[in-house]
């Protein structure tokens, strides 16, 4: 099986495929960034909840990650370019239906299922094209370019999407991505024709088992903060049927079912290998510890950045009394700094691949720069933690955001380069798993850190009100009150939650509610930042398994 390569030394020439693949990465990142920004408008329009939109985002990435092995299987059989174009068509249908959705259920199916399936080749193929088409300095420029356009897409989703939603309507926020898709389709002839010649049939059984197994495990992890890891915080029901029908959180059964399905998947893969038939893990990437651990380190980094930003979008409007557009401007320095550092690291990335004749700074190995980036990320989180007071301002948040942006900008290009170098076939096989995992990290960050913020803020509000009225309740009733408030926050607008609390508390407590809620939200964000700091430490441990330098063939760096 051979995938042909081409040489396009001019990255931004008129017929360069980078224009198309870069716009594709921008389009997917834009839509992932736009949904949190327009969340309040969707909740009001559909009389839905913030939790339901969070679920849609998580399901999108679950679908993308779970379908990744099957997508690689399809690419080996039909070719990457045909699968990419099919994904582009399905993506357009999914986004169009999302913008026209008459209900939250249709929106969930359109965005989480249709767009999630279509996004799998769209988030992996551009990086594979870069690996196959470009060489040397141009390849490094293209790699950094994709990181930049991905960050820009997410940033513009927050700013432009939020602006369109507030001025015209949330449905119009998807128009820029549809315009980009049309432009990609009309320039599709610029893409290389990467066709494969493979007579081996597609492993549909392996694909189904991997999708269901990964989807079940990842769904369990994403629901853990909301429903509890073991003891249920609240009941999980489908169509009025409570699952499971005994006092246990839904999380352990989901993870158990996923592990069982993955066990069947492993048995099936061994059977297929013995018979010499179609096998979805032909490349064996998941059996290469260096690649898996590097991918997990990168996913944790994405989880931290996305989760912290998501929580800031919830915190800043309350603490600083800003509208959504002003909130996006307040948080924007993190992404802008990351973009500038990634662009500036291009020269370092090229010099870092040459170990001979380097200056003192150039002798820093890529792995060392990964560690420096993580250290700065941790310092930035601590600075943000210390800046959170009841008198916080945008200026107070700025230093922490800038340092986090510098750390993230140093970490991102180097960790991907080192991780891919541990894969047997580089990006050709690795991107089909690596990039969906990063999208999954983004959604899990919003789910895990976002739910942590809501839970701890709810706990402190309940405790603050009880302290103000001088009452105590049993631990069981306290847990019930916290769970009720947590559900209210996830299912009501901020104004509705405030009105409901005012109706439930004694009149003597009402004048203190704003201070109690602001203190609780600040405390909740500080707790979620400590969790992010803990995850940064875990990311550091995973990064220790990366090689010091990329192990790439010499001719590729010529």
């Amino acid at each position: 099986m051979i995938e042909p390569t081409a040489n396009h030394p001019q990255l931004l020439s008129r017929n360069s495929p980078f224009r198309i693949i870069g716009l594709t990465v921008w389009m997917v990142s834009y839509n992932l960034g736009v949904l949190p920004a327009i969340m309040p408008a969707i909740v009001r329009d559909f009389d839905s909840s913030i939790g339901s939109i969070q679920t849609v985002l998580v399901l999108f990435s679950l679908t993308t990650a779970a379908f990744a092995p099957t997508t690689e299987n399809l690419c080996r059989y039909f070719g990457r370019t045909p699968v990419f174009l099919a994904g582009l068509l399905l993506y357009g249908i999914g986004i169009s239906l999302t913008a026209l959705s008459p209900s939250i259920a249709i929106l969930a199916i359109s965005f989480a299922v249709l767009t999630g399936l279509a996004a799998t080749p769209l988030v992996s193929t551009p990086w594979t094209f870069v690996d196959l088409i470009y060489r040397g300095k141009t390849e490094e420029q293209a790699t950094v370019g994709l990181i930049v356009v991905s960050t820009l897409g997410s940033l513009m989703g927050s700013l432009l999407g939020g602006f369109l939603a507030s001025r015209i309507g949330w449905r119009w926020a998807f128009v820029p991505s549809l315009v980009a898709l049309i432009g990609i389709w009309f320039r599709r002839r610029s893409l290389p024709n990467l066709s494969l010649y493979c007579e081996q049939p597609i492993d549909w059984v392996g694909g189904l088992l991997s999708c269901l197994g990964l989807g079940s495990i990842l769904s369990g992890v994403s629901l853990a903060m909301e429903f509890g890891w073991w003891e249920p915080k609240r009941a999980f029901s489908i169509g009025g049927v409570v699952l499971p029908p005994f006092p246990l959180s839904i999380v352990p059964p989901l993870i158990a079912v996923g592990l069982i399905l993955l066990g069947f998947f492993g048995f099936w893969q061994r059977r297929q290998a013995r018979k010499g038939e179609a096998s979805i893990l032909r490349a064996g990437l998941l059996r290469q510890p260096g690649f898996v651990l590097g991918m997990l380190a990168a996913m944790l980094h994405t989880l931290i950045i996305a989760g912290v930003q998501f929580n800031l979008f919830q915190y800043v409007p309350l603490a600083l009394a800003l509208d959504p557009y002003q909130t996006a401007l307040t948080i924007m320095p993190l992404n802008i700094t990351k973009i500038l550092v990634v662009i500036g690291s291009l020269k370092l990335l090229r010099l870092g691949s040459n170990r001979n004749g380097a200056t003192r700074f150039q002798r820093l190995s890529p792995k060392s720069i990964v560690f420096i980036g993580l250290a700065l990320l941790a310092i930035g989180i601590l600075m943000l933690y210390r800046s959170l007071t009841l008198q916080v301002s945008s200026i107070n948040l700025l230093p922490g955001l800038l340092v986090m942006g510098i750390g993230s900008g140093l970490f991102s290009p180097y960790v991907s380069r080192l991780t891919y170098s541990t894969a047997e076939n580089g990006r050709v096989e690795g991107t089909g798993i690596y990039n969906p995992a990063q999208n999954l990290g983004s959604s899990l960050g919003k789910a895990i850190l976002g739910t942590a913020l809501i839970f701890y803020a709810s706990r402190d509000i309940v405790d603050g009100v009880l302290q103000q009225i001088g009452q105590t309740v049993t631990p069981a009733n306290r847990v019930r009150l916290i769970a009720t408030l947590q559900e209210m926050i996830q299912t009501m607008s901020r104004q509705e939650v405030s009105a409901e609390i005012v109706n439930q508390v004694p009149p003597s407590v009402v004048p203190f509610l704003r201070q109690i809620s602001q203190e609780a939200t600040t405390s909740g964000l500080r707790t979620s930042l400590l969790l992010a700091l803990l995850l940064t430490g875990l990311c550091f441990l995973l990064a220790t398994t990366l090689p010091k330098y990329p192990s790439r063939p010499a001719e590729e760096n010529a």
Side-chain angles (χ1 to χ4, degrees), residues 21-85:
I21 61 179
L23 190 58
T24 301
V25 171
W26 179 92
M27 175 184 67
V28 176
S29 299
Y30 174 91
N31 284 320
L32 284 176
V34 77
L35 205 58
I38 64 176
M39 187 184 300
I42 298 177
V43 169
R44 288 193 301 270
D45 194 12
F46 291 145
D47 193 22
S48 182
S49 67
I50 293 176
S52 63
I53 308 301
Q54 286 180 302
T55 302
V56 169
L57 279 168
V58 173
L59 286 177
F60 170 89
S61 291
L62 290 177
T63 303
T64 303
F67 194 63
T70 301
T71 297
E72 286 303 298
N73 204 4
L74 294 172
C75 288
R76 291 200 300 267
Y77 189 80
F78 294 108
R80 293 189 180 276
T81 304
V83 173
F84 174 84
L85 293 176

Side-chain angles (χ1 to χ4, degrees), residues 207-444:
L208 179 63
L209 289 173
S210 66
C211 279
L212 294 177
L214 287 171
S216 182
I217 292 174
L218 296 174
S219 296
V221 172
S222 68
L223 294 173
M225 290 299 293
E226 184 176 353
F227 291 92
W229 283 101
W230 188 260
E231 294 184 1
K233 292 182 180 179
R234 62 190 184 94
F236 178 87
S237 62
I238 298 178
V241 178
V242 177
L243 298 174
F246 40 82
L248 180 70
S249 169
I250 187 63
V251 173
L254 282 175
I255 294 178
V257 169
L259 290 173
I260 292 171
L261 290 172
L262 287 185
F264 282 119
F265 172 70
F267 172 79
W268 176 261
Q269 293 304 291
R270 287 193 295 272
R271 174 186 177 278
Q272 294 296 92
R274 285 197 303 268
K275 292 188 173 184
E277 296 180 358
S279 174
I280 203 169
L281 290 182
R282 182 189 58 79
L285 281 175
L286 296 182
R287 290 175 288 182
Q288 298 180 24
F291 177 81
V292 173
L293 294 176
M295 177 187 68
L296 290 176
M299 188 182 80
L300 271 179
H301 163 262
T302 305
L303 185 155
I304 294 162
I305 293 295
V308 169
Q309 287 192 87
F310 182 83
N311 282 353
L312 286 173
F313 271 103
Q314 312 307 309
Y315 169 79
V316 169
L318 176 65
L320 277 65
L322 300 179
D323 62 33
Y325 184 71
Q326 294 170 325
T327 299
L329 290 177
T330 300
I331 304 169
M332 185 174 62
L334 192 159
N335 285 317
I336 293 295
T337 305
K338 178 181 177 180
I339 292 171
L340 294 176
V341 172
V342 167
I343 294 173
S345 70
L346 174 61
K347 185 176 181 180
L348 297 179
L349 189 65
R350 182 163 59 89
L351 292 173
S353 64
N354 181 7
R355 307 180 205 181
N356 300 318
T359 66
R360 180 182 302 175
F361 185 71
Q362 294 165 7
R363 282 199 294 269
L364 280 174
S365 67
K367 185 175 182 178
S368 298
I369 298 177
V370 165
F371 287 150
I372 292 172
L374 284 175
L376 289 174
L377 179 61
I379 293 171
I381 292 173
L382 281 174
M383 293 173 66
L384 200 59
Y385 177 91
R386 291 176 60 88
S387 69
L388 297 177
T389 64
L390 295 181
Q391 293 77 36
V392 68
S393 66
S394 299
I395 300 299
N396 298 136
L397 299 176
L398 184 60
L401 293 174
L402 292 177
V403 175
M404 284 184 64
I406 294 171
S408 180
L410 288 175
F411 178 88
S412 299
Y414 289 92
V415 72
S416 61
R417 183 176 176 84
L418 292 174
T419 301
Y420 283 130
S421 74
T422 65
E424 183 179 325
N425 294 306
R427 283 199 182 91
V428 174
E429 298 291 346
T431 50
I433 301 175
Y434 184 93
N435 288 292
Q438 304 318 301
N439 283 339
L440 176 64
S442 176
S443 289
L444 287 179

Side-chain angles (χ1 to χ4, degrees), residues 164-180:
L164 291 173
S166 61
R167 295 294 188 273
I168 308 176
W170 66 266
R171 300 177 189 276
W172 290 90
F174 294 100
V175 170
S177 62
L178 288 173
V179 172

